[in-house]
Amino acid sequence: DMGAQAGYVFIDDVSLTKVVPPAPENLLTNGDFEAGGTGWAGNALNSVDDGSGTNKRNEANIAAAGDPWDVSLTYPGLVLEAGETYTLSYTAYTDATTATRSMAAGIGKNAPDWNSLTDSPALTATATTFTYTYTVNYPNPENSRVVFDMGAQAGYVFIDDVSLTKVTPAPIVAPTVAAPSPPVRNAADVVSIYSDAYDAISPINYDEAWCGAGAVTATTADGDNVFAYNGNNCQGISFAGDKQDVTGLTNMHVDLFIAEGTDLGGKVFNVKIVYSAGGESSFNIDINALSPAPVPGTWYSYDALVSITGSNIQQVGITSNLNNVVWYDNLYFWKEAVDPATDTTLSDLTVDG
């Protein structure tokens, strides 16, 4: 658009290209066996031409069945990281005479006690690509290996195009829209722990360091104040200087935003209240059991009946394993407003004189 001003405009060499992220690095430098046995080890190592004259593969012929590790092909010397996830991919098959067989294949420690993460692919005479993902959970992964143990069954095993790549997690995207706005309620019907919609508790400490300092980070979503739950096991909230009367409150509400791509299996967001007179009540939220199910990448409004057994509270605790992938807003306790015309409790009764 250039009509706003008079004069010449010269344009040349215009291009629009899609940015394609680079392919993940194969940690095996000779996964295709084109450099013979370089990098590989084991008594099953046998890099040969596959008959095409243009491609090599590893070929092992197991004469008699024994223990799986009796015939083994490994790629040692891999420096892996504890807690990180890796994808192992390879092409494997057997010959027409053997027809079907399996093997143990995966990654593991390259030293006693040989801890490993393996699967047992079913091989046929058709070359098949197998892909598995492993999260390293064994000790000393800086001395790791890829392993193919094939001694448990007789017959040929052909292996080619082996790759091991580190999985780069998708970036965690924070909420860009505000949480749903809570309804207007009478102040007497709400105790708000964290929300812009209702009267704030003052003073209040949102980071009591029960599980270490820095449990949450105050941030915003489309101008709305929200908390990002960090890597701690829990968050402690204290307001002993402004105790809150929760007598008669029946419901707990919280809005949760769980990052897109998060596996909800086993995830929780648990809330407890601590009474001034001692004791506590816990309200546990099993994320995966909610109905309707939360959709990661969107806000989810949780509201449920709760059993409050005391009167004044002075602390709230949050425990969750949604570390670094959940944001929350509008955490409050409430009850339905009572219509004065139908109130039979005499709670609003006044007497003159």
Side-chain angles (χ1 to χ4, degrees):
D1 290 337
M2 55 194 80
Q5 293 177 277
Y8 284 97
V9 175
F10 305 105
I11 299 174
D12 196 3
D13 300 327
V14 181
S15 69
L16 177 66
T17 59
K18 181 179 180 180
V19 177
V20 179
E25 177 190 3
N26 186 1
L27 302 180
L28 282 60
T29 57
N30 182 33
D32 58 6
F33 299 96
E34 294 303 310
T38 301
W40 293 93
N43 59 357
L45 177 58
N46 181 33
S47 174
V48 297
D49 188 89
D50 64 1
S52 66
T54 59
N55 182 68
K56 290 184 178 180
R57 67 187 179 190
N58 194 82
E59 176 182 310
N61 183 13
I62 296 85
D67 290 320
W69 54 84
D70 287 344
V71 182
S72 182
L73 174 69
T74 68
Y75 197 103
L78 297 174
V79 180
L80 305 185
E81 300 174 67
E84 295 296 329
T85 300
Y86 297 83
T87 297
L88 176 65
S89 178
Y90 52 88
T91 299
Y93 53 107
T94 187
D95 67 327
T97 301
T98 305
T100 60
R101 58 155 295 152
S102 65
M103 62 179 175
I107 61 174
K109 186 178 174 182
N110 189 40
D113 49 7
W114 311 105
N115 302 79
S116 61
L117 302 167
T118 61
D119 283 277
S120 300
L123 309 186
T124 68
T126 301
T128 303
T129 299
F130 299 93
T131 302
Y132 300 98
T133 298
Y134 303 107
T135 299
V136 175
N137 62 357
Y138 51 83
N140 306 117
E142 66 278 2
N143 183 20
S144 290
R145 63 178 183 164
V146 169
V147 59
F148 298 96
D149 286 337
M150 55 195 85
Q153 291 176 269
Y156 279 95
V157 174
F158 306 112
I159 298 173
D160 201 1
D161 298 325
V162 185
S163 70
L164 182 68
T165 57
K166 184 177 179 180
V167 176
T168 302
I172 296 172
V173 179
T176 57
V177 298
S181 298
V184 176
R185 302 186 189 278
N186 297 325
D189 298 331
V190 178
V191 169
S192 175
I193 306 303
Y194 181 76
S195 177
D196 289 339
Y198 303 117
D199 293 342
I201 299 173
S202 179
I204 185 168
N205 181 0
Y206 288 108
D207 196 9
E208 271 293 317
W210 293 352
C211 299
V216 291
T217 298
T219 183
T220 60
D222 195 23
D224 187 37
N225 291 316
V226 300
F227 269 143
Y229 188 86
N230 297 328
N232 304 32
N233 291 330
C234 71
Q235 175 195 4
I237 304 171
S238 179
F239 39 93
D242 188 13
K243 299 179 179 67
Q244 298 294 302
D245 185 1
V246 292
T247 304
L249 301 186
T250 57
N251 286 61
M252 182 183 77
H253 181 100
V254 65
D255 291 312
L256 301 174
F257 183 97
I258 301 172
E260 187 174 1
T262 302
D263 181 0
L264 302 183
K267 298 300 189 292
V268 299
F269 191 91
N270 300 333
V271 179
K272 73 174 180 179
I273 56 177
V274 181
Y275 300 105
S276 303
E280 60 187 44
S281 295
S282 296
F283 315 117
N284 297 334
I285 305 175
D286 181 349
I287 301 297
N288 206 37
L290 295 177
S291 180
V295 177
T298 64
W299 283 101
Y300 186 92
S301 293
Y302 174 88
D303 202 291
L305 290 170
V306 293
S307 177
I308 294 176
T309 58
S311 53
N312 291 333
I313 62 172
Q314 62 182 19
Q315 292 176 321
V316 171
I318 296 173
T319 303
S320 179
N321 53 4
L322 287 162
N323 301 102
N324 302 307
V325 295
V326 68
W327 292 255
Y328 76 86
D329 193 8
N330 301 320
L331 172 58
Y332 59 88
F333 297 88
W334 66 281
K335 66 178 180 181
E336 293 285 358
V338 176
D339 184 350
T342 61
D343 185 5
T344 61
T345 66
L346 303 182
S347 60
D348 292 328
L349 178 65
T350 60
V351 178
D352 294 330

